[in-house]
Amino acid sequence: MIRVLVPVLALAGIAFPSSAMAGDVKVHASGAIAVALDALRGDYQTRSGDTLAIKIDRSADIGPAVAAGEATDVVIAEAKVIDGLVAGGHALPGSVVPLAASPICVVVPANRPAPKIDTSAAVRRALLAARSVGYSNSLSGDYVTRTMFPKLGITRQMARVARQVGIAKATAAGDVDIAFSQCSEMLHIRGLTVVGPLPPALQHRSVLTAFVGARAPNPEAGARLLRYLTSPAADLPLQNSGLVPLPAQTSAAR
């Protein structure tokens, strides 16, 4: 049984198996990393011989599925969800690794002018000028409504115009004037403009964290995938999808 994962290895140092040792890797992952996983799937499968079977969900839905006994090799979700699963004994000991930070971006319909969002005051003005504001049914949506709106002093005003929506669909259709979502989920959606990340004073970066499942059908293959995801080979796909790879020094033990 694999007890400890080395968080980051140079690609040349990753020991990939012979075809006889390769296998399927069941991955249950947050939508925030979906684009990156799709981009690196081919390279990883070619190098490892493993086949990735990826299931994408909201982080909030991944937790209950794994806690209920889902047999998954690798789980990738926001740190808050991962922490709960680790506490419940659902992770292979020593296998937890932080992968990337996921910032929140501002999006508008493609045919609308992009508002200024470089300061907290600018974001406040943009929100107060909007006829409708969208936020997601996710942990980032919770941050927007429970932390950002109060911080800007506009909770009362937003109660009249802000609503929970499917961000990509509602924004592209022009059903909301401005919306907030994790950047990695919006960068490749047609019909909307990603104005940019929230300014530092308002930004909230979710940390996407992963582990090998305690009930993993193929824990060795799961460990190989995590070594790859925390190697330099994965940095560019992560960055291109709007994520920020975390430094190698970040501890794998939480």
Side-chain angles (χ1 to χ4, degrees):
M1 178 179 293
I2 297 176
R3 306 298 293 180
V4 179
L5 294 183
V6 179
V8 175
L9 297 175
L11 182 58
I14 299 176
F16 288 115
S18 66
S19 58
M21 296 172 59
D24 292 339
V25 188
K26 294 183 178 180
V27 181
H28 200 168
S30 163
I33 201 170
V35 171
L37 288 177
D38 187 58
L40 58 78
R41 181 202 296 256
D43 180 65
Y44 179 74
Q45 292 183 160
T46 297
R47 293 177 181 274
S48 68
D50 294 335
T51 300
L52 299 183
I54 301 170
K55 179 181 179 182
I56 299 298
D57 262 327
R58 297 185 311 143
S59 283
D61 292 330
I62 293 173
V66 176
E70 179 181 75
T72 301
D73 295 309
V74 171
V75 178
I76 305 173
E78 295 187 32
K80 181 178 179 180
V81 172
I82 295 295
D83 288 345
L85 291 172
V86 171
H90 301 290
L92 193 68
S95 71
V96 182
V97 288
L99 298 180
S102 179
I104 295 175
C105 272
V106 178
V107 298
V108 297
N111 60 353
R112 308 277 176 86
K116 287 185 176 296
I117 59 165
D118 55 327
T119 64
S120 297
V123 173
R124 187 178 191 275
R125 285 193 296 271
L127 285 168
L128 292 176
R131 296 167 299 176
S132 57
V133 176
Y135 59 90
S136 64
N137 179 22
S138 68
L139 296 178
S140 64
D142 289 345
Y143 166 78
V144 167
T145 56
R146 297 178 183 179
T147 301
M148 191 180 80
F149 288 168
K151 188 173 185 178
L152 292 173
I154 57 173
T155 301
R156 177 176 55 82
Q157 296 93 321
M158 290 298 99
R160 296 194 295 266
V161 298
R163 57 194 175 97
Q164 187 179 96
V165 296
I167 300 296
K169 183 177 180 180
T171 308
D175 294 337
V176 294
D177 293 332
I178 188 171
F180 302 88
S181 184
Q182 294 186 66
C183 303
S184 61
E185 297 187 24
M186 297 291 113
L187 286 180
H188 304 279
I189 303 297
R190 294 182 179 179
L192 58 78
T193 298
V194 177
V195 182
L198 284 169
L202 295 178
Q203 185 57 259
H204 173 75
R205 293 185 174 188
S206 300
V207 176
L208 294 175
T209 306
F211 63 68
V212 176
R215 300 180 182 88
N218 195 344
E220 291 82 8
R224 281 195 298 272
L225 176 60
L226 292 192
R227 287 196 295 269
Y228 178 88
L229 290 176
T230 52
S231 77
D235 283 355
L236 189 58
L238 290 170
Q239 291 166 352
N240 286 344
S241 73
L243 297 172
V244 181
L246 293 178
Q249 299 93 313
T250 305
S251 174
R254 296 178 61 86

